[in-house]
């Protein structure tokens, strides 16, 4: 089967367009990766090309992913163009037996390399695979409200989570383990990949201060839906903060605890601290 005709590839390409139309992918901003299943690799085997044999350094070390195949967006490519021209803008890479190098086996037909954030994608996919082998998607986007909050709230995962939780009852139900925050760092390298994957060892979402965010998921809907949910709550918070620095009323820790039983979740208590004031962002 042709790669472009598979269900996973169609979902991948569609999500890139969806993210563009949300306004999360100006120019070449953002990137997406997917760890293929064994039956999907078998399905597309005849459409892969191993001839070049050229190997490139990942820029980090992901032994748990050795030998695996990933669909990833191309470096410098525009998410907007992916649904119409996937083969030019996306590739499939195969990792070598030690998880240090990769080979391009499909796509990027006009040349190019995988996303500049490949180290972060692969390190996140690695820690996610260790905690849940069903997690296969890692998504990086530049949503405006999440980025705006990184200028307004302390860069503290507990405070970010609590303030986002209070903006929509849905939030603690969708991500009861909360979100983490990476301080400003140089993008594209190993250091930011290490910092992000530290968060992804336990949580599904990492904010990159003054840059964007990373979400993971078991499928494209889960990763996109998580980005969408956090960004929507961030938008509500920005609207509230545009009017006042204080909340008149909000969802209380007692209210949050009441969600646990009916929704079968266990909201981490470290986000449910008692606040000393109603000023947004203060503990
Ligand atoms: O240009 O978003 O972080 C792609 C990016 C880099
Ligand atoms: Zn980015």
């Amino acid at each position: 089967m042709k790669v472009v005709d598979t269900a996973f590839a169609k979902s991948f390409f569609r999500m890139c367009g969806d993210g563009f139309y949300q306004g999360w992918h100006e120019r070449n901003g953002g990137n997406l990766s997917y760890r293929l299943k064994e039956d999907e690799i078998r399905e597309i085997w005849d459409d892969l090309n191993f001839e070049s044999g050229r190997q490139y350094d990942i820029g980090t070390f992901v032994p748990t992913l050795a030998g695996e195949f990933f669909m990833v967006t191309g470096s410098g490519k525009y998410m907007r163009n992916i649904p119409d021209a996937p083969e030019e803008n996306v590739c499939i890479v195969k990792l070598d037996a030690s998880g240090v190098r990769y080979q391009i086996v499909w796509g990027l037909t006009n040349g190019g390399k995988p996303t500049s954030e490949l180290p972060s994608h692969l390190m996140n996919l690695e820690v996610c695979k260790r905690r849940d082998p069903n997690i296969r998607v890692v998504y990086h986007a530049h949503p405006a409200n999440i980025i705006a909050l990184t200028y307004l709230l302390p860069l503290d995962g507990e405070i970010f989570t609590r303030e986002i939780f209070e903006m929509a009852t849905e939030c603690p139900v969708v991500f009861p383990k909360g979100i983490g925050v990476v301080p400003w760092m140089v993008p594209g390298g190993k250091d930011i990949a290490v910092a992000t994957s530290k968060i992804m060892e336990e949580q599904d979402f990492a904010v990159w201060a003054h840059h964007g965010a990373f979400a993971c998921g078991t499928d494209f809907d889960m990763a996109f839906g998580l980005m969408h949910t956090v960004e929507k709550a961030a938008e509500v918070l920005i609207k509230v903060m545009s009017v006042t620095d204080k909340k008149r009323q909000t969802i209380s820790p007692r209210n949050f605890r009441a969600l646990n039983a009916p929704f079968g979740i266990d909201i981490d208590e470290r986000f449910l601290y008692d606040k000393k004031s109603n000023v947004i962002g203060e503990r």
Side-chain angles (χ1 to χ4, degrees), residues 79-202:
M79 295 291 245
R80 180 186 194 188
N81 294 334
I82 288 174
D84 287 338
E87 295 203 48
E88 291 161 30
N89 295 293
V90 172
C91 62
I92 294 175
V93 297
K94 179 187 194 296
L95 301 199
D96 69 358
S98 46
V100 188
R101 291 156 80 72
Y102 67 85
Q103 181 184 348
I104 298 170
V105 296
W106 180 89
L108 290 176
T109 49
N110 294 338
K113 285 198 155 198
T115 167
S116 61
E117 302 295 358
L118 190 65
S120 281
H121 279 269
L122 293 179
M123 289 195 84
N124 288 334
L125 285 163
E126 180 176 56
V127 297
C128 289
K129 182 187 171 187
R130 283 201 208 116
R131 76 172 151 97
D132 177 357
N134 294 317
I135 300 179
R136 297 184 172 275
V137 180
V138 166
Y139 181 37
H140 171 54
H142 295 172
N145 294 287
I146 293 172
I147 298 169
L149 285 181
T150 67
Y151 298 88
L152 298 169
L153 296 179
L155 298 178
D156 172 316
E158 291 181 10
I159 294 174
F160 250 80
T161 299
R162 175 62 177 274
E163 295 297 346
I164 292 279
F165 273 8
E166 287 186 35
M167 291 304 112
T169 301
E170 174 192 27
C171 286
V173 176
V174 175
F175 47 100
K177 288 179 295 199
I179 66 183
V181 181
V182 177
W184 187 89
M185 292 178 77
V186 175
K190 183 175 175 182
D191 292 348
I192 197 165
V194 170
T196 312
S197 61
K198 191 107 198 72
I199 289 169
M200 291 262 179
E201 278 172 14
E202 286 181 11

Side-chain angles (χ1 to χ4, degrees), residues 200-251:
M200 291 262 179
E201 278 172 14
E202 286 181 11
Q203 297 171 307
D204 296 337
F205 197 91
V207 175
W208 277 10
H210 323 319
H211 182 142
F214 268 82
C216 70
T218 49
D219 61 24
F220 297 100
D221 282 344
M222 294 290 278
F224 190 86
L226 178 57
M227 188 69 73
H228 209 178
T229 304
V230 177
E231 171 59 4
K232 178 71 177 285
E235 182 181 352
V236 177
L237 186 50
I238 289 294
K239 285 182 196 288
V240 174
M241 293 179 91
S242 303
V243 177
T244 175
D245 64 343
K246 296 183 197 70
K247 292 171 202 149
R248 176 188 276 268
Q249 59 266 322
T250 186
I251 308 170

Side-chain angles (χ1 to χ4, degrees), residues 269-280:
E269 278 290 321
R270 70 194 167 100
F271 307 125
L272 305 187
Y273 49 83
D274 283 322
K275 288 187 176 178
K276 289 180 198 67
S277 79
N278 63 349
V279 175
I280 295 166

